Amino acid sequence: MGQNALPALDQESKLPQVETTIFTVMSAMAAEYGALNLAQGFPDFSCPKALLERVHQAMLAGMNQYAPMAGLPLLRQRIAEKVQHLYGAQVDEANEVTVTCGATEALFVAIQTVVRPGDEVIVFDPAYDAYEPAVQLAGGRCVHIPLQAPEYRIDWQQVKDHLSAKTRLIIINSPHNPTGSVLTADDLNELLAVVGLQPCYLLSDEVYEHIVFDGQAHCSLLSVPALRARSFVVSSFGKTYHTTGWKVGYCVAPAMLSAEFRKIHQYCTFSISTPFQQAIAEFMADATHHLELASFYQQKRDVFRAALNDSAWELLPCAGTYFQLARYRGFSERSEVEMARYLTQHHGIASIPLSVFYEQGCDEGVLRFCFAKHNDTLLEGAKRLKAVPFQ
Ligand code: PMP
Ligand code: GLN
């Protein structure tokens, strides 16, 4: 190596353990083999035409320059009205709501806002894969606590046992990706007890807040003032309006936390696409769009489950999100990663193995299937799964 040559970056990677995310890997494999993509979570149907028209109109009306750094005032106002209506939270849209580039940016920025070198962050496994790299980049360390299968509930005693003076942040995700479990009011009381023992911040990933089934209510951290006072609550319009490609999300946090959050957001993305924000703000005026989402997806969950009912696949409970877990240990000893590859290559159906979301290898033969799809796609997917031979 010459005197002025750069050192090989792969040898001093800031994220040595990180590989390409499973969502990219499985979507690429689905495309390569022409498989049904029930892996990465996105709808295979269009968003409402009226929403598309609003984007078009906003563009034609000249809304094509930078939006304000924190988000369009009208959109922040509509978000504040929504959380007041659904969770009874009085939110100051000027100082407590920030529009972000999807929930992904909000999660990343919230973590950078509070986590410092040496801090510990509690996450629950299987954990959505965006959390840990952001914690590592901030110099922190994730403390992983497994959820209790098959209902994937939080064991609050374990949380108490893992608290330390270094615990800086707890990351909650309800409805939970990838398991479909949801937090209850009792869970929020337990969380309150935990933060009473060790003062720490909370990051609540609520991107599936409108997709909770069987008449249950979504328990937002915004609904409990003592939790809200220490929380970053994150959501995404990608899930709610079938527009994952638009990457518009937001973070609600108390003014002091939002001020610090914005210091990072302004140098991360600065602001989010103006015509999309305008269109979403206008669309939000009609609450039925998000209020009817749960029944829309519950019907899809039920179509998919019914089609697999008399099969060798064991369906796990699904209380929210648009993901269904299915277990195959009864008929195959393959690892989850092997099974996901095999199904994509040989049976034309792509899924997500759960094992990649655990720190400590856990391989119980469970795959995640996205049911944000046309009913025909779901029926065809179930047919292909039923055709998998026992081995
Ligand atoms: N959190 C969870 C739990 C998710 O499932 C997703 C995406 N599907 C995100 C965050 C990221 O959301 P966005 O696409 O708005 O960045
Ligand atoms: N959150 C989506 C899922 O769980 C994927 C998002 C992504 O691809 N980054 O499938």
Side-chain angles (χ1 to χ4, degrees):
M1 191 187 288
Q3 223 179 1
N4 294 323
L6 284 170
L9 194 52
D10 57 348
Q11 281 163 30
E12 48 178 45
S13 169
K14 289 181 130 182
L15 296 170
Q17 272 89 44
V18 170
E19 295 171 7
T20 301
T21 166
I22 189 71
F23 305 116
T24 297
V25 170
M26 292 312 301
S27 278
M29 195 182 285
E32 185 183 349
Y33 290 92
L36 290 183
N37 190 351
L38 271 53
Q40 191 176 24
F42 62 88
D44 73 348
F45 42 85
S46 174
C47 67
K49 194 158 171 269
L51 182 55
L52 297 175
E53 282 166 357
R54 286 179 191 278
V55 177
H56 194 200
Q57 282 157 12
M59 287 177 168
L60 291 175
M63 301 195 75
N64 301 302
Q65 309 308 330
Y66 293 127
M69 182 270 277
L72 284 187
L74 181 64
L75 180 55
R76 285 186 278 139
Q77 181 196 325
R78 292 273 153 84
I79 293 167
E81 285 164 4
K82 184 190 80 169
V83 302
Q84 156 82 59
H85 177 243
L86 290 180
Y87 311 125
Q90 290 273 4
V91 166
D92 165 14
E93 64 255 33
N95 297 305
E96 300 187 315
V97 180
T98 308
V99 179
T100 57
C101 183
T104 307
E105 192 221 345
L107 293 167
F108 187 84
V109 171
I111 289 168
Q112 304 312 312
T113 302
V114 293
V115 177
R116 302 159 307 182
D119 285 345
E120 291 177 359
V121 177
I122 292 182
V123 297
F124 297 94
D125 284 0
Y128 185 61
D129 68 350
Y131 307 147
E132 184 151 31
V135 170
Q136 289 172 343
L137 285 175
R141 185 176 79 82
C142 281
V143 173
H144 295 258
I145 300 181
L147 295 171
Q148 309 297 304
E151 302 244 305
Y152 296 99
R153 307 226 60 83
I154 294 178
D155 177 344
W156 290 102
Q157 188 53 49
Q158 275 204 51
V159 180
K160 289 175 189 154
D161 294 345
H162 284 82
L163 288 176
S164 85
K166 292 184 183 165
T167 308
R168 179 79 167 165
L169 177 69
I170 301 176
I171 304 182
I172 298 287
N173 170 215
S174 177
H176 185 256
N177 179 10
T179 69
S181 66
V182 298
L183 291 184
T184 63
D186 283 347
D187 287 311
L188 297 196
N189 282 331
E190 294 279 5
L191 183 58
L192 207 48
V194 163
V195 296
L197 294 173
Q198 166 61 31
C200 58
Y201 296 103
L202 301 171
L203 172 53
S204 188
D205 180 345
E206 303 186 10
V207 299
Y208 302 101
E209 63 179 318
H210 302 302
I211 314 179
V212 179
F213 304 134
D214 306 315
Q216 264 192 277
H218 168 58
C219 289
S220 173
L221 264 57
L222 291 171
S223 63
V224 180
L227 293 176
R228 155 160 153 65
R230 57 179 69 234
S231 296
F232 298 87
V233 176
V234 167
S235 192
S236 169
F237 294 104
K239 313 295 166 185
T240 304
Y241 293 150
H242 316 308
T243 53
T244 61
W246 292 5
K247 298 297 292 187
V248 185
Y250 62 88
C251 176
V252 177
M256 196 245 311
L257 297 184
S258 287
E260 287 301 308
F261 179 99
R262 288 178 185 177
K263 285 185 189 172
I264 302 179
H265 162 74
Q266 68 182 343
Y267 293 124
C268 188
T269 55
F270 181 71
S271 68
I272 309 309
S273 168
T274 309
F276 290 120
Q277 288 196 65
Q278 177 66 21
I280 290 170
E282 291 172 10
F283 204 65
M284 278 186 90
D286 182 355
T288 55
H289 297 305
H290 58 261
L291 296 178
E292 287 175 357
L293 199 65
S295 60
F296 173 79
Y297 276 124
Q298 183 169 324
Q299 185 263 345
K300 294 201 172 290
R301 176 199 67 174
D302 293 346
V303 164
F304 190 54
R305 287 180 71 96
L308 283 167
N309 204 15
D310 54 347
S311 76
W313 291 85
E314 180 195 344
L315 300 178
L316 275 60
C318 172
T321 74
Y322 46 50
F323 303 116
Q324 173 64 53
L325 298 185
R327 203 162 174 271
Y328 59 83
R329 241 334 147 247
F331 63 88
S332 174
E333 287 303 316
R334 285 176 199 268
S335 76
E336 291 172 9
V337 169
E338 277 168 6
M339 189 61 146
R341 296 179 73 92
Y342 164 77
L343 291 180
T344 310
Q345 291 173 359
H346 300 284
H347 292 275
I349 178 157
S351 60
I352 296 287
L354 232 62
S355 52
V356 299
F357 303 121
Y358 284 90
E359 181 207 30
Q360 300 286 346
C362 174
D363 207 316
E364 298 188 335
V366 181
L367 298 177
R368 189 198 82 173
F369 296 92
C370 174
F371 56 78
K373 307 292 168 189
H374 285 291
N375 287 358
D376 287 351
T377 315
L378 296 175
L379 294 174
E380 177 60 27
K383 193 168 132 202
R384 294 184 189 189
L385 287 174
K386 285 162 103 171
V388 176
F390 288 29
Q391 51 188 298

